Amino acid sequence: KVDYANDQITLQCRDNLNKEYSLTADSLLIALNRNGRTKSLGLQEIGVSTHRDGIKVNEHMQTSVSNIFACGDAVGQQHTLSRVGYYQAQIAAHNACKSFWQKSSSANYSNVSSYIYALSPIGAIGLTEQEARKRYGKKLLIYRYNYASFARPQIDNTTDGIVKFICDSDGTLLGVHVLGYAADTIIDSVRIGENFAEQFEDYLFELRTSPNYLDLLWEAAKQSKSDTQQGAISTIIQFLKDLCLFK
């Protein structure tokens, strides 16, 4: 509930434990999602299936009518960023116009990020730590770094920040979460589902004019490489021990 009185806004809130509390503020920002205008297109008359938020499509951006494709806000998926719409448009255009010898393109949303522009920007891509533990168990590699430990934030006076990297035991990057300046640069520089260390193994040898925010990525990737190598050595040693005990 939102009330406005005496030039002040009061919000009545309820948390996930059903506990109620209130917040007061001078201004209220409401961010709304976008929905494509599809109701007046006569889609049902031509057999194109829809759902509550838009047009139903498969991974090829193909509708229930095989020669009709859709993308962007019109399909009403959870990914409504403009660059995702552009990505979908390329897939739809390729599949709609491809020659018979060409393969169909499929949409892959594993590297779609979310971002909140604020005084302290928030960026996320991939799984949360809770989601990763549920899917992969407790054998995860988690790396957390404060901005204050790196040179570029010190230079820019943007030291209030933290970044977390989530990898499986083999060093595959599962998720990245950033609270701080240049969060978009950091999350747009990684590839979820690929080995973290291999993505940045050449970073040290590239000549740069000055420190930058990708140093946080490289530091975590370097540590991930070290941990996975140690894990592999430990596995070999344990195998040899078990082999000796078996004999």
Side-chain angles (χ1 to χ4, degrees), residues 6-202:
N6 301 322
D7 295 328
Q8 192 169 53
I9 298 169
T10 302
L11 285 75
Q12 299 295 333
C13 309
R14 181 183 292 116
D15 63 17
N16 57 357
L17 299 177
N18 214 34
K19 180 181 178 181
E20 295 188 3
Y21 60 97
S22 63
L23 297 172
T24 59
D26 298 322
S27 300
L28 175 64
L29 172 65
I30 302 176
L32 300 176
N33 200 357
R34 295 174 296 186
N35 291 316
R37 290 185 175 182
T38 58
K39 294 182 179 180
S40 61
L41 297 180
L43 298 174
Q44 292 182 345
E45 287 81 353
I46 61 175
V48 174
S49 299
T50 60
H51 49 72
R52 184 184 67 179
D53 299 323
I55 301 171
K56 288 183 179 180
V57 293
N58 59 19
E59 69 274 15
H60 307 304
M61 310 312 299
Q62 185 180 41
T63 70
S64 55
V65 178
S66 61
N67 64 332
I68 298 178
F69 297 78
C71 61
D73 295 341
V75 303
Q77 296 180 357
Q78 59 177 325
H79 312 297
T80 56
L81 297 172
S82 58
R83 62 187 179 87
V84 176
Y86 181 79
Y87 168 72
Q88 293 175 337
Q90 294 181 90
I91 293 172
H94 170 81
N95 292 331
C97 304
K98 68 181 179 67
S99 302
F100 69 90
W101 64 82
Q102 293 178 304
K103 293 183 179 180
S104 296
S105 296
S106 301
N108 182 346
Y109 300 109
S110 59
N111 276 288
V112 173
S113 59
S114 59
Y115 192 77
I116 299 175
Y117 292 91
L119 189 61
S120 291
I122 302 173
I125 188 170
L127 301 178
T128 65
E129 183 175 345
Q130 292 81 1
E131 291 170 340
R133 291 196 184 281
K134 186 176 181 180
R135 187 177 302 183
Y136 295 93
K138 295 182 178 180
K139 293 183 178 180
L140 295 177
L141 302 174
I142 308 293
Y143 306 102
R144 295 180 179 86
Y145 296 98
N146 291 318
Y147 273 42
S149 302
F150 292 84
R152 189 76 242 179
Q154 292 286 350
I155 295 170
D156 295 340
N157 194 26
T158 55
T159 54
D160 292 333
I162 188 170
V163 60
K164 177 166 72 172
F165 304 93
I166 304 165
C167 300
D168 67 8
S169 57
D170 294 326
T172 299
L173 187 63
L174 305 177
V176 180
H177 303 270
V178 189
L179 171 62
Y181 186 78
D184 53 346
T185 299
I186 293 173
I187 60 175
D188 283 344
S189 301
V190 298
R191 297 185 300 276
I192 299 299
E194 298 184 17
N195 185 277
F196 191 21
E198 291 177 358
Q199 295 181 44
F200 295 93
E201 60 184 354
D202 295 330

